[in-house]
Amino acid sequence: MELDRVAAELEGLEETIILRLIDRAQFHVNTRAYRAGESGFSGEPESSLFELRLRHHEEMDAQFGRYRVPEERPFTSGLPASRREVVLRGWEPRVSSYDAVNLTGAIRSSYMDFLPRFCPPGDDAQYGSSVEHDVHALQAVSRRIHYGAFYVAEAKYRSDAEGFAEMIASGDVQALAARLTRPEVEERVLRRVRAKVEHIQAGANPSVRVAIPAEVVVEFYSRTVIPLTKEGEVRYLLGRER
Amino acid sequence: MELDRVAAELEGLEETIILRLIDRAQFHVNTRAYRAGESGFSGEPESSLFELRLRHHEEMDAQFGRYRVPEERPFTSGLPASRREVVLRGWEPRVSSYDAVNLTGAIRSSYMDFLPRFCPPGDDAQYGSSVEHDVHALQAVSRRIHYGAFYVAEAKYRSDAEGFAEMIASGDVQALAARLTRPEVEERVLRRVRAKVEHIQAGANPSVRVAIPAEVVVEFYSRTVIPLTKEGEVRYLLGRER
């Protein structure tokens, strides 16, 4: 449980996020898929197609045990219980409930804000494919943010248990956030993400695959992924049971 | 509806297949996930976890209308009806039922044969993630093969309707298969797939992401994807309604 291993895991999740965003960008923005009451899904007059897909997917995933894994936090509530046991790969976070750190609301709303910036504008009527890929992209982002929130925070805590315990006891959120911030690491992540977006797409035929702008992904990382990870780390530490 | 546009679509699906195989390879072979009776899923004593995930996923997809799309053929039978209308992007194949061309049985069994060649050996207990990624990989492969079967075949038919009509009328499968074979195109596809596998993985950190051997993907294409596409083209043409 050292910071290097955790950082390596986070690095591996970068590809997944980038690839999921590229997958989604093969379809247009398709605003209609996000409008309540326009799902065209029988028996569901009030939801959007996106909401329905997300819920159905998470209902399935819940039965297969996805949310028994700390970093897999659901976007919807009232999900069915798991029907199988799940073996955790690592250490279990010290919180009463994993959902004590659940940032999916903020992840979803930020993702929706970014959508028109990495997908081609307009409507191609491919609503089903669009929302299918939205779910995968959101899950990838959520996994990265919650993995960081639990495991980066715990690794940092263990590197200076006394110092952190003091800040936690005093409830000093500002001090905690400052202590968790490492600008040089953030800069390195952003540079790496940019290079990966550019590299991955350089091999594709632009007349066949839609490319996404590297700076949009970098901005998504700097405005959403990194800050929400840090917010999750703070929440985790404040809720940490000793 | 010309062959170039269809070929471009097939080319775009190469990335998807390669990326799904790489995703799956982040987990070990995990044989247990494919053994009947060892799913650990409550109320399902007889299936494997893989079968259950595939079925649950396809049951969801069916409700969202996936199988209303010609090239999306299901791996399981007895699926629920679609709960929404789906707008087809292109032309509708001239067959009484899309499942007149359904090669998923062969796709699944060939994929299973290849699995130990692109995933690390052994067991990491990540069964849920493994089968989740299997489903996505299988869907990507199926989409490519059935897209080719319907649309490549139709485009070729239209380029020489009389010649094809004669071969179809005489039921000469050998002649049809020969007429559909273009070795120089197949060679180009294989070279391109190899280059893509190498390129995509060159940007990743090998200590963080498991890489898959390019030659295994090339072999999967040459032994499975290309021949099954051609078999699907033959089936389509033999079942084609004039």
Side-chain angles (χ1 to χ4, degrees), chain A residues 58-68 78-84, chain B residues 41-42:
Chain A
E58 293 204 312
E59 283 172 356
M60 172 181 67
D61 276 347
Q63 295 182 63
F64 280 84
R66 182 184 206 101
Y67 306 114
R68 294 277 185 99
L79 293 171
S82 175
R83 295 177 63 181
R84 54 183 286 265
Chain B
F41 202 88
S42 66

Side-chain angles (χ1 to χ4, degrees), chain A residues 34-47:
Chain A
Y34 309 93
R35 281 207 293 264
E38 298 188 27
S39 71
F41 203 88
S42 65
E44 293 284 358
E46 287 177 16
S47 306

Side-chain angles (χ1 to χ4, degrees), chain A residues 159-197:
Chain A
S159 71
D160 175 19
E162 245 176 89
F164 274 103
E166 246 172 64
M167 283 184 280
I168 292 165
S170 70
D172 191 342
V173 174
Q174 298 289 89
L176 261 180
R179 182 75 168 70
L180 294 166
T181 301
R182 294 188 300 169
E184 73 288 359
V185 174
E186 294 178 10
E187 278 308 312
R188 202 192 319 142
V189 169
L190 296 180
R191 274 198 306 277
R192 199 171 54 207
V193 166
R194 177 183 295 276
K196 283 181 183 176
V197 177

Side-chain angles (χ1 to χ4, degrees), chain B residues 70-133:
Chain B
E71 66 267 27
E72 304 284 4
R73 297 293 89 228
F75 287 80
T76 43
S77 51
L79 293 171
S82 174
R83 294 177 65 181
R84 56 184 286 266
E85 287 307 311
V86 168
V87 177
L88 290 189
R89 276 198 285 183
W91 159 92
E92 194 154 346
R94 300 186 176 222
V95 277
S96 53
S97 152
Y98 299 155
D99 279 318
V101 183
N102 184 329
L103 294 145
T104 52
I107 293 169
R108 176 175 163 172
S109 95
S110 167
Y111 174 83
M112 285 301 158
D113 291 344
F114 269 91
L115 195 65
R117 299 186 53 203
F118 66 86
C119 292
D123 192 304
D124 59 18
Q126 299 301 303
Y127 309 125
S129 298
S130 302
V131 299
E132 175 189 340
H133 289 103

Side-chain angles (χ1 to χ4, degrees), chain B residues 55 93 139 164 177:
Chain B
R55 173 148 51 84
Q139 287 186 329
F164 274 103

Side-chain angles (χ1 to χ4, degrees), chain A residues 8 11-12 16 20 23 40-42 53 61 64 66 83-84 89 126 132 136 199 203 205 208-209, chain B residues 8 11-12 16 20 23 40-42 53 61 64 66 83-84 89 126 132 136 199 203 205 208-209:
Chain A
E11 187 182 333
T16 314
R20 292 299 168 277
D23 281 345
F41 203 88
S42 65
R53 179 76 189 192
D61 276 347
F64 280 84
R66 182 184 206 101
R83 295 177 63 181
R84 54 183 286 265
R89 277 199 283 183
Q126 300 301 303
E132 175 189 338
H136 296 145
H199 176 87
N205 178 346
V208 167
R209 295 276 286 183
Chain B
E11 187 181 333
T16 315
R20 292 299 167 278
D23 281 345
F41 202 88
S42 66
R53 180 72 188 192
D61 276 346
F64 280 84
R66 183 185 206 100
R83 294 177 65 181
R84 56 184 286 266
R89 276 198 285 183
Q126 299 301 303
E132 175 189 340
H136 295 145
H199 176 87
N205 180 346
V208 165
R209 294 278 283 185

